[in-house]
Amino acid sequence: MEKEFSVQNPLGIHSRPAGALMKKAKTFTCDITIAKGDKSVNAKSIVGLLSLEMRYGDKVTVKASGEQEEEAVNELGTMLESVLE
């Protein structure tokens, strides 16, 4: 399953929101990736998330496969589309 979301944090996804995304991703047993452009990273890796350099307004795709995939995509997407601090 996959869906596209728009980053809504005015400061982008810096270390604090990336940490929150990673912690949420680790609560799911499924494989989760986040892609921006042609680069895709494991959502359970803070280094990977930071390497995407997600900025305000960027379109990113959240993909998940396995148990709880729909819930994982929707919850991480909701976080990306909110103002994380």
Side-chain angles (χ1 to χ4, degrees):
M1 170 172 193
E2 68 180 70
K3 283 187 184 178
E4 185 176 84
F5 299 94
S6 178
V7 175
Q8 293 302 305
N9 188 346
L11 300 175
I13 304 300
H14 54 86
S15 59
R16 202 170 311 128
L21 283 167
M22 177 198 68
K23 285 179 185 175
K24 178 55 79 176
K26 285 185 173 186
T27 66
F28 299 103
T29 57
C30 57
D31 293 325
I32 309 166
T33 60
I34 297 181
K36 178 183 153 193
D38 60 354
K39 186 172 183 177
S40 180
V41 301
N42 182 344
K44 298 177 183 181
S45 164
I46 186 121
V47 173
L49 292 171
L50 290 171
S51 74
L52 286 179
E53 298 179 359
M54 294 178 275
R55 293 183 170 80
Y56 177 79
D58 284 349
K59 301 285 186 199
V60 296
T61 302
V62 179
K63 301 177 187 178
S65 62
E67 193 174 322
Q68 297 180 302
E69 63 185 27
E70 185 174 357
E71 184 181 353
V73 167
N74 290 330
E75 286 197 32
L76 290 179
T78 297
M79 291 178 75
L80 286 163
E81 291 191 329
S82 66
V83 179
L84 298 169
E85 293 185 13

